[in-house]
Amino acid sequence: MNLLHIDASVLGDNSVSRQVSAAIVERLRAADPTLTVTYRDLAADPIPHLSGLHVAARMGAEVPAQIQREHLAGEAALEEFLAADIVVIGAPMYNFTLPTQLKAWVDRILIARKTFAYGPNGVIGLAAGKRVIVAMSRGNVYDGAHAAAEHLESYLRTVFGFIGVTDLEFVAADGVQLSPEHRERALKGALETVGQLRAA
Ligand SMILES: Cc1cc2nc3c(=O)[nH]c(=O)nc-3n(C[C@H](O)[C@H](O)[C@H](O)COP(=O)(O)O)c2cc1C
């Protein structure tokens, strides 16, 4: 089994989502020591944002020399995702949604005929069968009055639903900026939730 572990927080050792995503991977690895884990740190090694040249190259145009490396980086990200049975994503909320580094990764994995297909009856997701677990960290809480401002969990649900992933779990650490006590409680709660995740 292949596990792809992705982090996107720019806050390094102070990141909550990194701590939670690491705990998820450790739990799954302890349950199945034969797991092959691939790690991608999108903050340390960002995937370039799409340009017209990238899109043309993906559609079969000749790859110009100036985007050769970037094209290969995007293709590698797609291949890693396609090869993964389990995907664990550390996803912080920045300005109500996901970090641009994570969006740049999404732009490389939502690829027609690879992870979804258009057909006469609409769109078909081609990535069914993968388990995706998102370790999400948000400064505020998004129930009640702020629900309409939430575009991280809702966005990722749309993305993975679109490509056919039905085995999708979120582990949330919420309200981490409200006070140090909130942060401590949110992290503790998220790590407890990790302990209850199904092992395999
Ligand atoms: C650039 C930036 C933007 C942020 N924007 C929001 C926001 O819109 N809503 C929110 O609830 N928290 C926001 N936060 C707080 C983070 O969601 C929170 O600190 C979270 O723990 C970040 O994840 P991390 O600790 O893994 O980096 C923001 C933090 C940063 C650094």
Side-chain angles (χ1 to χ4, degrees), residues 6 37 49 57 72 94 98 124 157 178:
I6 291 176
V37 178
H49 286 123
L72 291 176
Y94 294 162
L98 70 175
I124 311 163
R157 283 191 185 280
L178 296 177

Side-chain angles (χ1 to χ4, degrees), residues 9-16 18:
S9 168
V10 297
L11 297 184
D13 290 345
N14 288 321
S15 159
V16 174
R18 282 176 185 266

